[in-house]
């Protein structure tokens, strides 16, 4: 799919049909201005539950709520016109039963106008994915490192190495067969990502996976250098905006303290000059 040729936002079927073509481009977004900046360049934008760590200072994504997702989803929707919006289902909003997942997915879509939801899990979530898809909710799956499960995965480790390999292939196959229109592969070995991409009929979206995936996604604050608490190996920083922002704030603080800001050009005279 070519971002420059877009006239309308793609639908999940367009994303599915992009399998094997020009790689799909996506980033996360949480605010209107950031969504506006990426709209022309991305095929889809994910309102990720990474918002909890990136913007709210939470230690993981586990504390993210439906209300947070809806608020950020509405903000992102205001900034998009030609990229599709996908929204994450937060931890605890879908795992209990397909019915619980439907209620919360329907609420996310109705209140944010997202084109699809994303949820974490493979074989274990296949029944839920099929239930949602049969009821009109397009689902992007997310397998490999699934950050909502860090407590059972034992941290942010690479997934699918050695004996885990077949289980990850089974996850990918299960979500594709359940009707997901694409699947995020996070932090898996490159050759496994390539194998899954070749084996399943839906687009794979890599993050810490392989350039051979059908698309790529990054957390926008990571790639802009705005989130500096840590940097995963799979993140490429395309800018260092965090350092730029801190330098600007330090310059402002110094100028306020030495009374060189505001300058004459920033203040108002008592009378307007004729
Ligand atoms: O929440 C998130 O940002 C994600 C990604 C795939 C980056 O799920």
């Amino acid at each position: 799919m070519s971002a420059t040729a877009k006239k309308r936002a793609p639908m999940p079927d367009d994303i599915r049909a992009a399998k094997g073509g020009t790689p799909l481009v996506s980033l996360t977004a949480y605010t209107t201005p950031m969504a506006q900046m990426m709209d022309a360049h991305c095929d889809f934008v994910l309102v990720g539950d990474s918002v909890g760590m990136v913007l709210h200072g939470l230690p993981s994504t586990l504390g993210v709520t439906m209300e947070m997702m809806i608020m950020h989803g509405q903000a992102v929707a205001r900034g998009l016109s030609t990229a599709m919006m996908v929204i994450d289902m937060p931890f605890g909003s879908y795992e209990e039963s397909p019915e619980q997942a439907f209620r919360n997915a329907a609420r996310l879509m109705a209140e944010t106008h997202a084109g699809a939801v994303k949820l974490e899990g493979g074989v274990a979530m296949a029944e839920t994915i099929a239930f949602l898809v049969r009821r009109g909710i397009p689902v992007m799956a997310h397998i490999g490192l699934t950050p909502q499960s860090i407590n059972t995965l034992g941290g942010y480790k690479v997934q699918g190495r050695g004996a885990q390999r077949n289980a990850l292939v089974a996850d990918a196959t299960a979500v594709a067969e359940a009707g997901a229109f694409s699947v995020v592969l996070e932090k898996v070995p490159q050759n496994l990502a390539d194998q899954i991409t070749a084996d399943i009929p839906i687009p794979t979206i890599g993050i810490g996976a392989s350039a051979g995936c059908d698309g790529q996604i990054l957390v926008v604050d990571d790639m802009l250098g705005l989130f500096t608490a840590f940097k995963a190996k799979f993140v490429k920083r395309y800018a260092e905006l965090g350092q730029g922002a801190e330098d600007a704030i330090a310059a402002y603080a110094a100028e306020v303290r030495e009374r060189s800001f505001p300058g004459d050009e920033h203040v108002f005279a008592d009378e307007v000059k004729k």
Side-chain angles (χ1 to χ4, degrees):
M1 197 170 298
S2 154
T4 46
K6 295 187 303 174
K7 290 198 180 63
R8 60 156 176 90
M11 308 222 9
D13 270 356
D14 301 315
I15 300 291
R16 185 198 296 270
K19 172 87 189 168
T22 306
L24 291 157
V25 178
S26 66
L27 286 169
T28 64
Y30 319 108
T31 63
T32 307
M34 208 58 108
Q36 283 167 334
M37 281 184 247
M38 56 185 72
D39 189 38
H41 305 284
C42 289
D43 297 300
F44 70 88
V45 166
L46 172 71
V47 187
D49 62 352
S50 48
V51 67
M53 298 173 76
V54 170
L55 291 195
H56 293 266
L58 295 175
S60 74
T61 56
L62 299 181
V64 174
T65 62
M66 284 287 290
E67 285 64 34
M68 286 162 77
M69 294 309 299
I70 288 168
M71 187 184 73
H72 288 285
Q74 290 172 342
V76 169
R78 284 180 211 116
L80 297 181
S81 58
T82 60
M84 182 174 86
M85 182 171 119
V86 180
I87 190 162
D88 258 340
M89 298 199 71
F91 179 64
S93 72
Y94 60 96
E95 301 90 333
E96 197 178 329
S97 66
E99 289 79 5
Q100 181 215 23
F102 180 79
R103 260 193 314 281
N104 285 316
R107 182 173 170 215
L108 285 174
M109 289 186 66
E111 294 188 29
T112 68
H113 304 297
V117 299
K118 176 166 83 56
L119 57 81
E120 297 183 5
V123 171
M125 281 299 134
E127 186 194 342
T128 295
I129 294 172
F131 188 91
L132 295 181
V133 173
R134 280 200 301 270
R135 285 160 182 76
I137 301 200
V139 179
M140 177 177 286
H142 181 160
I143 63 171
L145 174 63
T146 45
Q148 293 174 6
S149 303
I150 43 156
N151 291 314
T152 45
L153 295 178
Y156 295 94
K157 298 176 191 156
V158 176
Q159 300 296 309
R161 280 186 171 142
Q164 289 180 339
R165 191 175 175 104
N166 289 344
L168 208 69
V169 173
D171 282 337
T173 307
V175 299
E177 285 176 354
F181 70 92
S182 64
V183 57
V184 171
L185 303 182
E186 179 163 351
K187 215 166 176 181
V188 301
Q190 185 180 22
N191 63 3
L192 176 55
D194 290 341
Q195 180 193 329
I196 290 173
T197 300
D199 282 359
I200 64 171
I202 57 172
T204 55
I205 311 297
I207 174 163
S210 166
C213 287
D214 298 299
Q216 301 293 328
I217 188 164
L218 282 176
V219 170
V220 70
D221 292 60
D222 283 341
M223 57 89 79
L224 293 179
L226 280 167
F227 182 73
T228 51
F230 61 86
K231 183 182 133 358
K233 174 179 159 81
F234 59 74
V235 171
K236 176 171 176 182
R237 288 220 177 121
Y238 285 82
E240 293 293 348
L241 300 191
Q243 192 54 57
E246 194 172 338
D247 292 348
I249 291 163
Y252 164 74
E255 289 187 11
V256 168
R257 291 192 177 108
E258 69 191 22
R259 295 191 193 282
S260 64
F261 177 83
D264 289 346
E265 67 277 35
H266 306 118
V267 296
F268 303 92
D270 191 20
E271 284 176 17
V272 181
K273 281 188 194 147
K274 297 231 168 96

